């Protein structure tokens, strides 16, 4: 329970840290200047900054005292999906190459992401479209992530989570519903 290393985040105003399952890498969202993700190699006191990944414009909604852009990993840990709300897109990031492979346009301030298990049909990702009062559903068909569709939900969706027992997504909204 002590600090064993202080590392660069690779940018300015680091706001969130996401640790890849297996605890070998961490991804730091930097929201100052040119937004980017700093990649850290984790090894206790020997941990080190590795590189940055240039990203789109990450952001924050001040609903509920601040909800920031989300970064979620695919079930196999090979890819990540990053919400870029001010650019109205989600980026697919290859975690082996540490680069953005593609941007998927989504209108309505994409902010929070949940990724399902892969249960024979590929993994799914659900993204809150905060300003559109919708969620978007993406599917990894094995070769690419594609938009399945957008679906209405209660006003101002602020959080989303995957429920593996029901193979579905749960959305939390600030509406009284």
């Amino acid at each position: 329970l002590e600090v064993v290393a202080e590392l660069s985040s690779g940018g300015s105003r680091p706001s969130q840290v996401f640790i890849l399952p297996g605890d070998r890498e961490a991804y730091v969202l930097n929201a100052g200047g040119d937004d980017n993700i700093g990649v850290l190699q984790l090894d206790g006191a020997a941990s080190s900054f590795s590189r940055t990944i240039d990203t789109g414009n990450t952001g924050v909604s001040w609903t509920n005292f601040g909800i920031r852009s989300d970064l979620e990993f695919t079930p196999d840990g090979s890819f990540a999906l990053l919400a870029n709300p001010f650019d109205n897109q989600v980026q697919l990031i290859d975690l082996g190459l540490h680069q953005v492979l593609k941007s998927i346009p989504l209108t309505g301030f994409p902010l929070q992401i949940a990724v399902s298990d892969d249960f024979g049909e590929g993994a799914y990702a659900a993204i809150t479209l905060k300003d559109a009062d919708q969620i978007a559903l993406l599917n990894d068909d094995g070769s690419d992530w594609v938009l399945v569709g957008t679906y209405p939900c209660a006003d101002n969706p602020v959080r989303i989570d995957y429920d593996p027992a029901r193979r579905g997504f749960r959305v939390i909204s600030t509406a009284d519903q």
Side-chain angles (χ1 to χ4, degrees):
L1 298 173
E2 66 183 76
V3 175
V4 296
E6 290 186 29
L7 306 173
S8 167
S9 67
S12 62
R13 292 192 1 226
S15 61
Q16 298 180 90
V17 176
F18 298 87
I19 299 176
L20 187 67
D23 298 334
R24 69 180 195 275
E25 288 182 322
Y27 296 85
V28 181
L29 270 61
N30 294 297
D34 294 328
D35 294 358
N36 67 33
I37 296 174
V39 181
L40 308 178
Q41 300 301 315
L42 300 179
D43 187 18
S47 295
S48 60
F49 169 78
S50 174
R51 63 174 45 106
T52 59
I53 303 169
D54 293 327
T55 64
N57 193 349
T58 59
V60 61
S61 164
W62 291 109
T63 300
N64 294 7
F65 304 102
I67 300 169
R68 297 191 175 278
S69 294
D70 203 0
L71 176 76
E72 291 291 327
F73 304 113
T74 59
D76 65 3
S78 297
F79 300 94
L81 293 164
L82 173 68
N84 302 120
F86 293 106
D87 293 335
N88 278 310
Q89 65 184 6
V90 168
Q91 291 181 329
L92 176 64
I93 300 170
D94 184 312
L95 297 177
L97 299 174
H98 294 110
Q99 69 182 30
V100 175
L101 294 180
K102 75 182 274 187
S103 296
I104 303 164
L106 296 172
T107 303
F109 208 79
L111 193 57
Q112 292 289 285
I113 303 171
V115 178
S116 76
D117 297 328
D118 183 342
F119 47 88
E121 301 172 3
Y124 286 87
I127 300 99
T128 60
L129 302 176
K130 189 182 161 318
D131 292 345
D133 300 332
Q134 297 178 329
I135 63 166
L137 188 64
L138 306 178
N139 177 241
D140 174 15
D141 66 4
S143 63
D144 195 10
W145 283 86
V146 295
L147 177 64
V148 174
T150 58
Y151 305 91
C153 62
D155 295 344
N156 196 24
V158 293
R159 300 278 184 208
I160 193 160
D161 196 15
Y162 175 66
D163 180 354
R166 295 191 177 176
R167 291 189 175 168
F169 295 96
R170 295 178 187 252
V171 180
I172 296 174
S173 161
T174 59
D176 293 333
Q177 299 177 14

